[in-house]
Amino acid sequence: MRFMYDGTNLVPEPLTAGGEKVVPISRVATIPIYELNPHFSPSSELLSFLAGRQLLLDELPFSLEQLHSHYENGYVSYQKGIISTTQRHRCLRCGNDAPHLFASFFCARCETICTYCRKCVTMGRVSECTPLVVSNVPPERVVYPHSLAWTGTLSNAQQQAADAVVQAIEQHAELLVWAVCGAGKTEILFPGIQRALARGDRVCFATPRTDVVLELAPRLKQAFPSVPTIALYGGSEERNKQGSLVIATTHQLLRFYHSFDVMIIDEVDAFPYSVEPMLAYAAEKARKEPSALLYVTATPKEDWQRDVRQGRRTAVTIPARYHGYPLPVPTLEWCGNWRKKVTRGTLPQNVLTWVKKRLDEKKQAFLFVPHVELLEKVAAILQRLDHRIVGVHAEDNARKEKVQSFREGNIPLLVTTTILERGVIVPNIDVAVLGAEDDVFTEGALVQIAGRVGRSAQYPGGDVRFFHFGKTKAMVKAIRHIRQMNDEARQKEGLR
């Protein structure tokens, strides 16, 4: 959209009388900001919709006239979507400034060559003539003094971690919660979330994966039943709702602006957050100043682990699972050139034997494969053993339904890519990796995959098998990592 700007007033082109000189918002030197007019009667619906968010005009269900009247009276502000220098462009929604991630086209809205950001285009196009709209009114602070309905108890190690989380929230500090898979990380956060809500804080629980959002949302809604809680992910029906407790994929944070007093980033080492600076930018933009920032993971990056050991990063560590049993240690098993066998329509005999045993014992299992193109072939081969076996991957339209069906016990074995290495909890399963030597199976990924097994106190053990065509450093490191955590847990707390 183009604006008329006379050095004092900024008016969207559709609201001008016509004939005035108009320019894309990116070419306005300084966007005027008006003081709040106490005599203006703002729309509570508009301010509620926009509270803590940074949105495109196309995302707002309000007329331009209504929106602009709120701007002129100081209740909302326009921001540039893209700023330009002689050297490069920068997207202010996602932080992208890589030249190859911008493109130019003839824009019908600004009637000139216009540059847009390709990095975040799936969230709606931000171009040189695109204003971003934010509210100047802080989100309403609602106090929930007794919000936590969870009545479970924490172990000594869990309680120490929970106390550290509460302290970090009260001090607006940064904290890493390094806890093994199955340590009860979510429950450890409950007292801190309760404390934040009792102060009127807004809390965001962000995670890189949609599956983790779908896993966490019902648990958090059950734990905090009196608190408006929304889950945001691609296709979410709650996208336009507001909540004091938000569970979201990290991509959804691009739509927030100075919104949260407490930002919890779960599985901070997971793809895509671990390799995508845009998501860290989005998380930072979504936080208020000051605010607390909590990172939660079982597998922090090597440099973070080193920082913790050397005292450069504040962390609390939980090496034991909540039920006191050790982490299952994976077994390495050579399976030959499995890719060639898949091409020929079969699998290595030891892999088939492993699968058949699970089917015979009626024990559910995950079989992880490196890539989508292999997944369908492997699933088709295994369907000869049991027609109920299916595969699932990130772009699968039936992904949500398949995972839920697996949870309900209708699918005996689920062939999956690394999308299910985290978050999905099934009480009694075994896990195998086919092609564990592939680069996609990093140390962290393999530790997380092994962590799917033995999470229930009723079923604390299980089989973890890494089928490979050559042992890698990642496999060795993953097993060492698990054993070290078990050793530390024995020393600190004693294992069953």
Side-chain angles (χ1 to χ4, degrees):
M1 178 182 294
R2 295 187 296 182
F3 286 77
M4 183 279 292
Y5 179 58
D6 61 9
T8 303
N9 300 305
L10 185 74
V11 182
E13 182 178 14
L15 302 184
T16 63
E20 298 93 342
K21 182 180 179 181
V22 290
V23 295
I25 193 167
S26 62
R27 297 180 192 172
V28 175
T30 303
I31 298 175
I33 298 176
Y34 295 101
E35 291 186 7
L36 215 63
N37 179 3
H39 305 295
F40 179 75
S41 298
S43 162
S44 58
E45 184 183 5
L46 186 153
L47 293 181
S48 174
F49 189 94
L50 198 54
R53 289 186 166 125
Q54 183 186 57
L55 300 175
L56 305 172
L57 286 174
D58 295 342
E59 296 177 293
L60 293 165
F62 305 98
S63 69
L64 184 59
E65 290 83 358
Q66 185 181 21
L67 191 66
H68 191 64
S69 68
H70 283 71
Y71 165 72
E72 290 180 317
N73 287 280
Y75 284 85
V76 305
S77 287
Y78 298 126
Q79 297 179 343
K80 298 179 183 181
I82 288 178
I83 56 173
S84 306
T85 66
T86 53
Q87 278 78 33
R88 61 176 57 201
H89 301 284
R90 187 164 191 260
C91 175
L92 293 188
R93 181 172 67 177
C94 74
N96 169 42
D97 62 0
H100 70 285
L101 290 175
F102 288 92
S104 299
F105 68 109
F106 184 83
C107 177
R109 290 190 298 192
C110 64
E111 298 180 358
T112 186
I113 299 298
C114 191
T115 298
Y116 72 95
C117 177
R118 294 170 52 222
K119 184 83 168 181
C120 60
V121 71
T122 57
M123 307 287 285
R125 189 170 67 194
V126 176
S127 63
E128 288 183 285
C129 67
T130 304
L132 297 171
V133 185
V134 299
S135 171
N136 294 334
V137 181
E140 183 183 3
R141 299 187 72 87
V142 182
V143 173
Y144 298 93
H146 306 292
S147 59
L148 182 60
W150 182 71
T151 57
T153 56
L154 299 175
S155 68
N156 290 336
Q158 286 178 316
Q159 189 61 58
Q160 289 176 11
D163 292 343
V165 168
V166 171
Q167 184 179 33
I169 288 173
E170 290 178 339
Q171 297 178 354
H172 296 130
E174 184 175 316
L175 177 70
L176 168 64
V177 180
W178 179 1
V180 297
C181 298
K185 293 189 289 292
T186 307
E187 288 75 14
I188 290 164
L189 296 169
F190 283 171
I193 294 173
Q194 179 186 38
R195 176 67 182 124
L197 294 170
R199 300 196 315 177
D201 289 350
R202 294 188 81 209
V203 180
C204 180
F205 201 123
T207 178
R209 307 284 178 87
T210 297
D211 302 278
V212 181
V213 172
L214 296 173
E215 178 82 33
L216 284 172
R219 293 171 63 191
L220 288 168
K221 288 179 180 181
Q222 184 177 25
F224 299 94
S226 64
V227 180
T229 302
I230 59 174
L232 303 177
Y233 52 90
S236 170
E237 296 178 357
E238 298 180 326
R239 194 172 111 185
N240 294 331
K241 295 181 179 179
Q242 287 282 3
S244 293
L245 178 55
V246 175
I247 307 106
T249 59
T250 46
H251 275 86
Q252 293 297 321
L253 298 182
L254 288 168
R255 292 192 171 100
F256 287 92
Y257 184 77
H258 298 176
S259 185
F260 300 108
D261 304 275
V262 178
M263 177 66 70
I264 302 167
I265 303 180
D266 190 30
E267 308 294 3
V268 66
D269 61 303
F271 179 87
Y273 190 89
S274 59
V275 298
E276 181 50 82
M278 173 183 77
L279 299 179
Y281 174 90
E284 191 63 30
K285 182 165 65 79
R287 295 170 57 198
K288 289 182 182 178
E289 181 60 45
S291 58
L293 177 60
L294 308 177
Y295 295 111
V296 184
T297 184
T299 49
K301 297 178 292 183
E302 283 190 14
D303 57 333
W304 282 37
Q305 294 183 33
R306 187 170 55 251
D307 288 347
V308 171
R309 288 192 296 269
Q310 296 175 355
R312 293 199 298 265
R313 180 176 290 275
T314 304
V316 59
T317 305
I318 308 175
R321 287 183 157 178
Y322 76 95
H323 52 51
Y325 289 92
L327 299 161
V329 179
T331 300
L332 300 182
E333 190 166 332
W334 187 83
C335 65
N337 192 342
W338 59 274
R339 289 178 188 270
K340 184 181 288 187
K341 287 188 177 291
V342 170
T343 301
R344 293 175 178 174
T346 187
L347 289 171
Q349 188 55 50
N350 53 350
V351 177
L352 289 171
T353 299
W354 188 89
V355 172
K356 287 176 183 176
K357 184 177 180 183
R358 269 76 219 162
L359 295 173
D360 291 342
E361 294 177 351
K362 293 182 170 52
K363 187 170 186 182
Q364 285 184 286
F366 282 134
L367 178 63
F368 286 85
V369 298
H371 304 291
V372 175
E373 60 269 19
L374 293 162
L375 183 140
E376 298 297 342
K377 295 177 181 177
V378 172
I381 293 168
L382 293 178
Q383 283 166 358
R384 299 173 200 156
L385 302 177
D386 191 314
H387 70 277
R388 296 173 297 165
I389 293 174
V390 297
V392 66
H393 56 87
E395 302 305 319
D396 190 336
N397 292 330
R399 167 181 172 182
K400 183 178 177 181
E401 292 74 20
K402 287 178 180 179
V403 172
Q404 184 58 37
S405 185
F406 182 76
R407 283 199 186 101
E408 294 169 355
N410 301 320
I411 297 172
L413 184 142
L414 193 59
V415 185
T416 180
T417 57
T418 54
I419 59 158
L420 297 186
E421 75 184 28
R422 304 161 190 258
V424 177
I425 299 172
V426 180
N428 186 24
I429 62 169
D430 290 337
V431 165
V433 178
L434 177 62
E437 75 281 358
D438 193 279
D439 289 345
V440 74
F441 295 119
T442 60
E443 175 193 347
L446 292 172
V447 170
Q448 290 283 355
I449 286 169
R452 300 307 96 208
V453 175
R455 298 175 72 101
S456 165
Q458 189 176 356
Y459 306 103
D463 188 77
V464 182
R465 201 73 56 102
F466 294 166
F467 292 106
H468 65 89
F469 188 35
K471 191 162 58 174
T472 64
K473 289 182 180 179
M475 290 182 226
V476 174
K477 284 183 174 181
I479 292 174
R480 185 189 304 143
H481 183 135
I482 292 169
R483 284 178 172 157
Q484 285 175 345
M485 281 297 190
N486 283 339
D487 289 343
E488 187 177 340
R490 288 188 186 96
Q491 293 168 11
K492 282 187 175 180
E493 301 177 52
L495 295 178
R496 297 188 189 185

